[in-house]
Structure formats: structure tokens, C-alpha cells
Amino acid sequence: MSHHAAASRPGGRSSRVLAAIYTSVGELVGEGAERITFPVVAERAGVNPTTLYRRWDSVHALLEEVAVAALTRDGESAPDTGSLQQDLTEWAQVIARDITRPHRARYLRAMVSARTETVASCPVTEKRREQASQVVSRARERGEKAPSVPQILDHVIAPLYHHVVFALPVDREYARRLVRDVLAMAE
């Protein structure tokens, strides 16, 4: 997996190199490149291919990292409105708005197409699991009945991503409907 986190300095050369690599991957994905390789990415980014080989075990790992960076943000947390329904609705709508933007959808589709085997975990899913846990924990602290974290992931988050991967429509009402459905599962 990636080793860049320990090696990078905010605003330093490492950050610029990483940004150039991420941009190159995004451009290649956006152009519909059928074969993304370390040498192709390195040439586009203006770096030596060894830079990529040192940081990532495989092109798959690079694509996944770029997709995660594109689909989540460091420090991003789920809304805290004081109401479970409002928290979930706002959160689902934020995710829907974000992942339906054309460049985000391309990253998501690239990540999915890069997978050749079943994986034990996915960083995007783990980030969403943390956020769902925050929402559920806050709701239960307020005494609200809440669905489980897996129910939120399976019945709100996964359908949003599924629709984007398969180019199906995603809008605010669809996100609201998913939230209403999962709230009916609350215990």
C-alpha cells in the first residue's frame, strides 16, 4: 500500500510530486485511458517511474489511493444537526452531490474497474463507516432510535455509489428516500 503519508511534507516537493501524479491519473482516467501503467503516469506527471514504484505496490494501489483522495476529504465528518433524520439526509445529499460530479464519477468508476480481486476492505468504505458510526453514536446519545452502521452503509451509502458506478440517476429526492427507508429499520 502507499507509503507517501509518512514521507510527505505539506507544501513541499513531495506534495507537488504527489499532486502531479494524482492529476496525471485523473487526466488519464478522464480521457478513458484503457491501460494505465506506472511509466505512462510518470511521463504525464514529469517524474521518474521509480518514484511510483517506490510509493505504490501496484497500479491498482495507486488508482485506489487517487480515487479515495477524490471521493473523500481528510477531516471530513458527517453533519451534526441534532436530528438523526436531518444528519443522514444532509450527509447522503452531500455524498450524492459530490460523487455525481463528472470527475468524481470517473475516479469512482476507475477504482471499480481497477479491482480484479475481492478485497478485505476499501478505504472509501472505511471512511464512510467512521462517519456513519459518528452519526449513530450521536443519535443514540440523544436517545433516538437508530439503524445500525451496516444498515446505513448497505441501504444509503452503497446505493448512492452503485447508482453512480452504473450511471443511474442520483438526486436529492433519491438520497432522501434512501434515508427514509433506513430509518424504518431503526431499533
Side-chain angles (χ1 to χ4, degrees):
M1 199 50 143
S2 166
H3 304 288
H4 85 278
S8 68
R9 295 181 314 262
R13 181 181 181 281
S14 185
S15 293
R16 288 190 303 274
V17 167
L18 191 59
I21 292 168
Y22 279 23
T23 298
S24 298
V25 169
E27 289 170 356
L28 289 164
V29 168
E31 294 166 7
E34 295 203 10
R35 184 141 161 73
I36 298 176
T37 65
F38 282 158
V40 169
V41 172
E43 182 178 334
R44 173 85 51 118
V47 301
N48 192 303
T50 57
T51 300
L52 285 87
Y53 289 109
R54 240 188 344 253
R55 291 178 184 237
W56 294 278
D57 296 335
S58 65
V59 171
H60 165 74
L62 170 60
L63 287 173
E64 183 167 297
E65 183 173 311
V66 171
V68 169
L71 296 170
T72 63
R73 291 174 198 74
D74 288 337
E76 179 184 45
S77 61
D80 185 4
T81 65
S83 157
L84 176 59
Q85 181 171 0
Q86 192 62 33
D87 288 352
L88 287 176
T89 300
E90 283 187 24
W91 185 45
Q93 290 175 345
V94 164
I95 292 170
R97 251 189 334 269
D98 191 52
I99 65 176
T100 57
R101 293 188 300 169
H103 66 285
R104 299 275 204 236
R106 282 192 300 270
Y107 280 129
L108 179 58
R109 291 175 186 134
M111 184 175 79
V112 170
S113 71
R115 295 232 192 235
T116 57
E117 299 174 8
T118 301
V119 294
S121 68
C122 169
V124 173
T125 302
E126 294 311 311
K127 178 73 170 176
R128 299 303 183 205
R129 183 181 321 280
E130 289 171 22
Q131 294 169 323
S133 294
Q134 293 169 356
V135 170
V136 168
S137 178
R138 288 191 303 250
R140 290 187 176 150
E141 286 172 7
R142 291 188 301 262
E144 292 181 83
K145 290 176 21 178
S148 69
V149 169
Q151 287 172 322
I152 292 170
L153 293 175
D154 292 345
H155 298 282
V156 177
I157 306 306
L160 291 171
Y161 282 88
H162 171 270
H163 270 57
V164 171
V165 167
F166 289 102
L168 299 169
V170 175
D171 59 19
R172 293 175 61 85
E173 182 50 40
Y174 178 65
R176 275 194 292 271
R177 183 172 58 80
L178 294 173
V179 169
R180 282 192 307 267
D181 290 350
V182 82
L183 288 173
M185 300 175 194
E187 298 173 0

